[in-house]
Amino acid sequence: MDVKLSKKGTTLVVRIMEDMDHHSAQYLRQKIDNEITKATIKNIVFDFTNVNFMDSSGIGVVVGRYKNVCKLNGKAAIVNANPKVLQIFEMSGVLKIIPVYNSLDTAISSMCG
């Protein structure tokens, strides 16, 4: 699983570089959780630019990390999801709890204040 993690202030940006399925979900979950616990992370942004497919285990990774940052009084956001991935989020109800933005900068600025 290829994932790029970066920090912008107290926000962890998770740029997922390939499709998300049950094979990659455990690795991704551990990698993100390790970063949240060792750093001063409060918010998380998932960048789906390079994701064309995601199954229910991918939804579990996103929702689980959302719950973790909520415990820290933080927020989560999704950016750059293609129509297929957005449809999966819509059908699963994720879009009722996690906002979607068209750009990383917009998502990060929405978490300030």
Side-chain angles (χ1 to χ4, degrees):
M1 177 74 198
D2 191 10
V3 61
K4 295 190 180 350
L5 303 177
S6 60
K7 287 179 265 190
K8 298 210 185 253
T10 59
T11 300
L12 178 65
V13 178
V14 179
R15 182 168 287 130
I16 303 154
M17 305 305 288
E18 57 192 65
D19 295 347
M20 291 176 66
D21 59 22
H22 69 280
H23 296 292
S24 58
Q26 182 64 31
Y27 172 81
L28 192 55
R29 186 179 298 119
Q30 288 176 337
K31 188 122 173 131
I32 296 168
D33 287 349
N34 287 342
E35 197 64 32
I36 290 173
T37 57
K38 77 177 182 184
T40 55
I41 298 300
K42 181 178 176 185
N43 304 310
I44 189 166
V45 176
F46 292 94
D47 185 340
F48 280 87
T49 301
N50 298 305
V51 178
N52 294 309
F53 171 80
M54 180 180 66
D55 66 12
S56 60
S57 56
I59 293 168
V61 169
V62 172
V63 171
R65 292 342 88 206
Y66 162 78
K67 288 179 179 180
N68 288 351
V69 295
C70 282
K71 291 175 188 170
L72 303 171
N73 294 316
K75 298 178 183 176
I78 295 167
V79 296
N80 302 322
N82 72 34
K84 283 195 290 189
V85 171
L86 277 178
Q87 184 179 23
I88 292 166
F89 281 132
E90 175 83 40
M91 290 173 18
S92 67
V94 168
L95 299 185
K96 292 178 180 166
I97 60 171
I98 303 175
V100 174
Y101 297 95
N102 292 325
S103 79
L104 184 58
D105 290 339
T106 306
I108 290 172
S109 65
S110 76
M111 296 178 174
C112 298

